[in-house]
Amino acid sequence: MSESEQNQYLEGYQLLVRLENGLNTIAKRHGVSFSQYLILKQIIENNCNEPSMLARAFVVSPPAMSRKLTVLFREGKIVKLYNLKDEDQRITNLKVTEKGEAIVNTLNEECAAILLPYSEKSEALMAQFIIIANQILKK
């Protein structure tokens, strides 16, 4: 890899970090981090309502996801529904509370408004980004 290509990757990484920081700033105004918003959104929009499903979706360990969910639970943004059918209390389903849903709805609107000017270009750019990221991760 040439020095020019290395610099491009570094610039791309720095851009992603700045984007993540900007999205976190927006989310923090509503009392969540951007990753917490994505977890809530995943539960609501993709019916991904089990901790193990969320861990797989976000490619994190189950204990790491459990810690993230505990924070959302303590803040009243999700509730845990325990399995009462076969008395196995280890099986937990998650439900986003009204408070959590309001946050997701508000952030969905804000993100849509931010991305609207770029919507035509963003699909092609995102597809390119995903291809490049996958190629990098395979190395």
Side-chain angles (χ1 to χ4, degrees), residues 33-91:
S33 67
F34 191 70
S35 66
Q36 289 173 324
Y37 158 67
L38 292 176
I39 291 169
L40 294 171
K41 185 176 174 70
Q42 186 77 358
I43 295 169
I44 293 169
E45 295 178 5
N46 297 320
N47 199 30
C48 194
N49 62 354
E50 295 176 16
S52 59
M53 291 170 67
L54 287 165
R56 283 191 301 275
F58 287 96
V59 194
V60 297
S61 69
M65 182 53 67
S66 181
R67 287 188 295 274
K68 293 173 186 293
L69 293 171
T70 297
V71 172
L72 290 169
F73 174 75
R74 287 185 180 152
E75 293 175 350
K77 294 171 182 135
I78 62 169
V79 292
K80 297 178 181 181
L81 308 170
Y82 294 97
N83 179 14
L84 300 177
K85 290 181 183 173
D86 59 12
E87 299 179 19
D88 187 349
Q89 291 292 306
R90 294 172 298 171
I91 299 173

